[in-house]
Amino acid sequence: MQMKPYRIGTRGSPLALAQAYETRDRLMAAHDLPESAFEIVVLSTKGDRITDRPLAEIGGKGLFTEELEEQLGDGRLDLAVHSSKDMPTVLPEGLGIVAYLEREDPRDAFISGAGGALEELPQNAVVGSSSLRRQALIRRLRPDISVITFRGLVDTRLRKLAEGEVHATMLAYAGLKRLGKAEVATHLMDPESFPPALGQGAICIEARVGDERIRDLLAPIDHAETHSALSCERAFLGALDGSCRTPIAGHATLSNGQISFYGMILTPDGATFHEIRVEGPEADAAALGGDAGAEVRGRAGAKFFESWV
């Protein structure tokens, strides 16, 4: 019998907390447990503390997980809640992603004080984004636009936009919805012409490998279709050694036991890109994603990746 509360680790941003509370509430409902059966443990990560530089300059995706994983590994936490797109493809020994909540809308939200869409911005407009993927895709569609690094919490970015620092910015629509701010989006990007980050919109839960008690706890809230889709997407990313230094995009969808995946890699200026589409049985999701990544990597050649460093 669980005597102490289950300790759920999370970052302290409003979005991270919303995701942790959603996970807790789903666990409460699934197991008919009271709120007191869980404790939300808030940790500050290096990625949260350093906001004046691009992630690629200070270490990439692991910046948002390292402190959580340290406490998860030594038993101070029972599970950790993350945005899937923040997760490195290689996790610390003994840790793994055990469950995914049902995915929210994976599209990017375009936000402009003047309203409208990316194609409606004036010539030489300025767009703020911290994502190399978004920066590259914006440059691919609108080479005239100046893209600047734009980090900070959602409210910070929206304030900078309102103050006129940029003409527009982009955020994950799923995050806006979870924060109750969906109405700020002036346009939703088409995932065909502007594919999302791998894992965007999905909350994942990390735990110790072999901890059957926690695995059994999480099993009822693990969404099977999201788990399959993310297995495909993360395998694609893993085959490409994806990190915050690499503009990589893609999205997997499922229908009637079949998985369809569309992936893309770009140079940071958006001028050169390689894309791929594959489909097959849901049971082969990870293999399909890994094979797609390997094919794109071979097609692009080593020099393509060297140019990202």
Side-chain angles (χ1 to χ4, degrees), residues 122-143:
Q123 284 284 314
N124 304 314
V126 179
V127 176
S129 175
S130 63
S131 160
L132 288 188
R133 172 190 60 87
R134 290 182 183 132
Q135 291 177 359
L137 287 169
I138 290 168
R139 291 171 179 137
R140 174 180 172 239
L141 297 175
R142 288 287 305 269

Side-chain angles (χ1 to χ4, degrees), residues 172-235:
Y173 188 48
L176 292 174
K177 291 181 74 174
R178 290 184 177 117
L179 290 171
K181 298 178 182 292
E183 75 283 350
V184 305
T186 55
H187 182 75
L188 295 178
M189 304 303 292
D190 178 359
E192 287 291 307
S193 60
F194 207 96
L198 285 309
Q200 186 158 299
I203 296 170
C204 69
I205 306 168
E206 188 179 19
R208 289 178 293 279
V209 174
D211 190 333
E212 296 304 321
R213 179 181 64 101
I214 299 302
R215 185 175 291 275
D216 290 345
L217 176 77
L218 295 172
I221 66 170
D222 182 29
H223 189 253
E225 287 194 1
T226 301
H227 205 134
S228 293
L230 269 289
S231 295
C232 179
E233 293 179 21
R234 286 180 59 77

Side-chain angles (χ1 to χ4, degrees), residues 26-292:
R26 286 175 181 256
L27 288 170
M28 287 169 57
H31 296 281
D32 194 24
L33 290 171
E35 187 176 312
S36 59
F38 301 91
E39 179 184 354
I40 303 292
V41 180
V42 179
L43 297 178
S44 172
T45 69
K46 187 176 181 181
D48 295 313
R49 295 189 294 271
I50 302 176
T51 60
D52 60 343
R53 283 174 282 166
L55 292 177
E57 291 183 7
I58 54 175
K61 292 187 178 185
L63 294 166
F64 290 120
T65 61
E66 185 177 347
E67 287 82 355
L68 291 163
E69 288 173 334
E70 180 182 340
Q71 295 203 15
L72 190 58
D74 65 20
R76 282 178 286 174
L77 295 176
D78 293 302
L79 54 120
V81 179
H82 307 281
S83 294
S84 296
K85 69 176 183 176
D86 290 339
M87 294 297 284
T89 53
V90 178
L91 303 181
E93 186 175 356
L95 301 181
I97 297 175
V98 176
Y100 293 92
L101 302 190
E102 183 174 3
R103 192 178 209 164
E104 249 292 359
D105 193 320
R107 290 177 292 178
D108 286 301
F110 179 82
I111 309 163
S112 173
L118 178 66
E119 57 267 24
E120 297 170 8
L121 287 179
Q123 284 284 314
N124 304 314
V126 179
V127 176
S129 175
S130 63
S131 160
L132 288 188
R133 172 190 60 87
R134 290 182 183 132
Q135 291 177 359
L137 287 169
I138 290 168
R139 291 171 179 137
R140 174 180 172 239
L141 297 175
R142 288 287 305 269
D144 62 292
I145 283 179
S146 175
V147 186
I148 65 170
T149 299
F150 210 54
R151 288 196 60 207
L153 300 176
V154 170
D155 283 341
T156 302
R157 299 189 207 190
L158 294 177
R159 175 180 54 77
K160 289 179 179 179
L161 174 64
E163 291 173 352
E165 288 191 25
V166 293
H167 291 92
T169 188
M170 287 189 186
L171 293 166
Y173 188 48
L176 292 174
K177 291 181 74 174
R178 290 184 177 117
L179 290 171
K181 298 178 182 292
E183 75 283 350
V184 305
T186 55
H187 182 75
L188 295 178
M189 304 303 292
D190 178 359
E192 287 291 307
S193 60
F194 207 96
L198 285 309
Q200 186 158 299
I203 296 170
C204 69
I205 306 168
E206 188 179 19
R208 289 178 293 279
V209 174
D211 190 333
E212 296 304 321
R213 179 181 64 101
I214 299 302
R215 185 175 291 275
D216 290 345
L217 176 77
L218 295 172
I221 66 170
D222 182 29
H223 189 253
E225 287 194 1
T226 301
H227 205 134
S228 293
L230 269 289
S231 295
C232 179
E233 293 179 21
R234 286 180 59 77
F236 179 76
L237 196 62
L240 294 164
D241 296 325
S243 72
C244 285
R245 296 182 177 86
T246 54
I248 304 176
H251 183 220
T253 57
L254 283 96
S255 178
N256 299 319
Q258 291 287 111
I259 190 163
S260 299
F261 174 74
Y262 170 56
M264 177 188 290
I265 60 174
L266 307 90
T267 50
D269 62 4
T272 304
F273 66 93
H274 298 273
E275 57 188 344
I276 189 168
R277 295 179 190 272
V278 295
E279 60 180 67
E282 180 181 351
D284 298 336
L288 284 166
D291 289 347

